[in-house]
Amino acid sequence: MILKILFKIIKEKAYLISFLIFSGVVGYLNDILFEILVFSQTVILLTYIYTEYKLKDWIRNYKRGEKTYAYGFIYDEFCSLIEQLDEDKKSSSSKFELLNKRFKELSAAMPDSTVILDKNKKIEWFNSEAQKLFKFNKVYDEGTPITHIIRNPIFVEYINLAEISKEPVYFKHDKKDEVISIQVFEVPFGKDMSLLTFRDISAFEKLDSVRSDFIANVSHELKTPLTVISGYLEMLKSDSVGKEESQKFYNEMLDQSLRMNRIIGDLILITNLQTTKPIESKKEKINLNKITSEIIYDLKPILTKRKQSINIISKADIFVYGLYKEIYSAFMNLITNAVHYSAPNLNVEIDFGYTNSGSIYYSVKDYGFGIEDKEIERLTERFYRVDKGRSRNQGGTGLGLSIVKQVLNRHDAELNIESKLDEGSNFTILFNNQANYKNSPKSASNI
């Protein structure tokens, strides 16, 4: 390859050398050597200037298949390279156009509304579902900022974020004679573009509302007859004093009726947490040290029976702002789980304080059986049990961590779970956006 290139260069330069030798001989014979050499060099220089001009003109007005009259091997190679790049670009462009066409065909067939935005959040393209949902017009709306058409403040704030959010956002939209709920998700697409997917979730919301209403109504309807049954069982148990076999049956029935009562109570609680908004005026400062001590005091009978104790690592007075009963319920569920899912004689540790970022954490650690990684994601689902037999034997309702999740959602908090089999688990609550209430005046719950 190198020899081939050298041969081409020598071949090209041979014409120049021959031209110079011929000019020199003619000049020498006619006693005008200097003049002839100057003339020949001028001709060569003008040839190169003309070649460069033609090459620049060819590049500036490039048309596929049109050859240039540039002279020289180097120029020929340069032109060939440009032509090859153009062919590659044509091939890549064709592939991109094909992929883009297939993508748009696929998006057009999707049940969700799809919109492509450019880097300035202007509409590049939309499918037929988006056209129906937002009444887009292909003539007027393509090239228009999407926030000029969809003006919902929640959507506008979401779309104007400096970085594309990994989480979807929900907003209301007027559609004909009804207001619908829309979920929108934005993902990067192409170069400096993004793709929006809109989904009408009104039907799901209505179904969830019906389900929640059903659970709430059934729970309330069951609570009254169950209370009556429990009362009569207590009376029959008192009348059967001295009859050991009867006492055993009545105890079992009472235990099961009390367990059912707890399940109904938890169902009512979790439904209220989902369907109502926290009353801001009822929020107060909650001393983590004090509320933990109260929970431990209430758990004394269980701890004594299981020969366990709870160690509070932190002794600081740290405060969070929220609804006392709800926070108490969340902490109680976490601590009770830690006690029940540890073997007797194994203690539980509680710690709380500030993270490096300034958030407040509250952790409950046990040294019990541990949880497999695949189970952790489902722990906060209603009635989900890692070990069904052991959970029922402990008298759990299967709703404890669901209640914790709902309480934390209402307090801008999150639950992190770390666990290893046969080593134990650590449940940590992170309270975000909490001010330091240490020096604030005391409230009723902290006196």
Side-chain angles (χ1 to χ4, degrees):
M1 181 67 182
I2 296 175
L3 291 174
K4 186 178 179 180
I5 293 172
L6 287 172
F7 176 75
K8 284 187 175 182
I9 293 174
I10 292 171
K11 184 180 178 182
E12 176 187 316
K13 300 303 179 185
Y15 295 108
L16 297 176
I17 294 170
S18 300
F19 176 71
L20 286 173
I21 292 173
F22 176 76
S23 299
V25 170
V26 171
Y28 178 76
L29 292 175
N30 293 280
D31 200 25
I32 52 173
L33 178 61
F34 177 76
E35 289 84 351
I36 286 293
L37 288 176
V38 170
F39 172 77
S40 60
Q41 290 291 341
T42 302
V43 170
I44 292 171
L45 179 61
L46 290 174
T47 301
Y48 274 110
I49 291 172
Y50 177 74
T51 299
E52 287 189 8
Y53 166 77
K54 293 295 293 183
L55 181 64
K56 288 179 181 178
D57 183 65
W58 179 73
I59 293 172
R60 189 181 297 111
N61 305 296
Y62 177 77
K63 293 180 181 178
R64 187 174 289 114
E66 185 179 279
K67 298 293 182 181
T68 182
Y69 297 97
Y71 168 77
F73 165 67
I74 299 298
Y75 293 123
D76 288 343
E77 290 295 313
F78 184 71
C79 293
S80 297
L81 179 61
I82 290 175
E83 289 172 345
Q84 183 61 48
L85 289 172
D86 182 60
E87 287 297 321
D88 292 344
K89 179 183 176 182
K90 179 184 176 183
S91 176
S92 298
S93 179
S94 299
K95 289 179 181 178
F96 177 77
E97 287 175 5
L98 179 61
L99 288 172
N100 195 36
K101 181 182 177 182
R102 288 179 178 175
F103 167 78
K104 289 182 177 179
E105 288 174 352
L106 179 63
S107 297
M110 289 174 61
D112 294 332
S113 302
T114 306
V115 180
I116 297 175
L117 305 179
D118 65 14
K119 63 180 180 180
N120 297 316
K121 305 299 181 181
K122 293 181 179 179
I123 299 172
E124 283 271 330
W125 177 87
F126 49 84
N127 66 355
S128 58
E129 291 299 318
Q131 188 172 10
K132 292 176 188 176
L133 182 61
F134 299 111
K135 298 180 181 178
F136 287 146
N137 185 299
K138 284 190 175 292
V139 176
Y140 300 108
D141 293 334
E142 287 186 354
T144 302
I146 194 167
T147 51
H148 288 187
I149 303 171
I150 307 175
R151 299 174 180 271
N152 183 280
I154 296 173
F155 174 76
V156 172
E157 182 181 359
Y158 175 77
I159 212 69
N160 287 329
L161 291 173
E163 294 183 2
I164 293 177
S165 173
K166 295 180 180 179
E167 299 296 328
V169 74
Y170 304 85
F171 66 95
K172 300 292 183 181
H173 176 69
D174 292 325
K175 184 182 179 183
K176 295 182 179 178
D177 297 328
E178 63 176 336
V179 177
I180 63 173
S181 298
I182 293 179
Q183 177 197 61
V184 58
F185 197 89
E186 184 180 15
V187 294
F189 176 78
K191 184 179 180 182
D192 297 329
M193 296 193 295
S194 62
L195 182 144
L196 293 177
T197 302
F198 299 86
R199 177 172 294 179
D200 182 354
I201 59 168
S202 302
F204 297 103
E205 283 191 344
K206 289 177 183 176
L207 182 63
D208 191 58
S209 177
V210 169
R211 178 175 61 85
S212 296
D213 290 343
F214 172 77
I215 292 172
N217 293 333
V218 169
S219 299
H220 282 289
E221 291 299 323
L222 287 174
K223 197 167 183 66
T224 300
L226 189 58
T227 303
V228 174
I229 291 170
S230 299
Y232 278 117
L233 284 173
E234 288 281 4
M235 186 176 67
L236 290 170
K237 180 184 175 184
S238 299
D239 291 343
S240 65
V241 175
K243 298 177 182 179
E244 190 173 325
E245 189 171 349
S246 297
Q247 285 277 311
K248 179 182 176 182
F249 292 144
Y250 287 130
N251 282 334
E252 181 66 25
M253 287 188 287
L254 270 171
D255 287 343
Q256 292 305 317
S257 65
L258 289 172
R259 179 168 175 266
M260 188 178 291
N261 203 30
R262 286 196 299 272
I263 293 174
I264 291 171
D266 282 351
L267 279 172
I268 292 172
L269 173 59
I270 201 168
T271 303
N272 287 336
L273 291 172
Q274 284 184 314
T275 57
T276 62
K277 292 184 178 181
I279 301 173
E280 293 296 322
S281 61
K282 290 189 176 182
K283 286 186 177 181
E284 57 183 306
K285 296 183 285 87
I286 301 168
N287 188 326
L288 298 184
N289 201 355
K290 184 177 183 296
I291 196 172
T292 304
S293 299
E294 290 176 0
I295 293 171
I296 293 173
Y297 180 82
D298 292 340
L299 288 175
K300 264 189 177 181
I302 297 174
L303 295 172
T304 302
K305 182 179 178 180
R306 295 177 59 84
K307 298 180 180 179
Q308 289 175 292
S309 65
I310 297 177
N311 301 325
I312 305 177
I313 296 174
S314 175
K315 299 297 181 183
D317 287 327
I318 294 176
F319 299 85
V320 295
Y321 193 65
L323 298 171
Y324 192 85
K325 287 184 178 179
E326 293 185 13
I327 297 296
Y328 181 95
S329 176
F331 289 179
M332 173 62 88
N333 276 297
L334 284 185
I335 297 169
T336 303
N337 277 355
V339 171
H340 283 161
Y341 286 92
S342 297
N345 302 314
L346 289 178
N347 297 332
V348 173
E349 292 179 358
I350 296 176
D351 191 20
F352 45 85
Y354 292 95
T355 65
N356 292 333
S357 61
S359 298
I360 295 173
Y361 71 89
Y362 187 93
S363 70
V364 180
K365 185 175 183 181
D366 67 68
Y367 296 91
F369 308 104
I371 308 163
E372 290 187 60
D373 290 342
K374 64 180 182 180
E375 307 278 3
I376 290 177
E377 290 184 3
R378 300 192 60 191
L379 283 180
T380 55
E381 293 179 12
R382 292 184 183 185
F383 298 111
Y384 184 77
R385 302 172 187 271
V386 176
D387 188 330
K388 296 176 177 60
R390 186 190 302 144
S391 297
R392 290 196 176 93
N393 290 336
Q394 299 290 354
T397 65
L399 293 167
L401 290 178
S402 296
I403 291 172
V404 172
K405 180 182 178 181
Q406 294 302 324
V407 170
L408 299 188
N409 286 343
R410 291 160 64 92
H411 287 80
D412 191 23
E414 57 187 282
L415 179 65
N416 293 329
I417 305 172
E418 297 175 349
S419 185
K420 289 186 178 179
L421 286 177
D422 300 321
E423 292 185 20
S425 306
N426 190 12
F427 291 76
T428 303
I429 296 174
L430 287 175
F431 292 94
N432 302 311
N433 303 321
Q434 286 281 342
N436 184 355
Y437 295 99
K438 186 174 181 180
N439 299 316
S440 300
K442 292 183 177 180
S443 66
S445 63
N446 298 316
I447 296 174

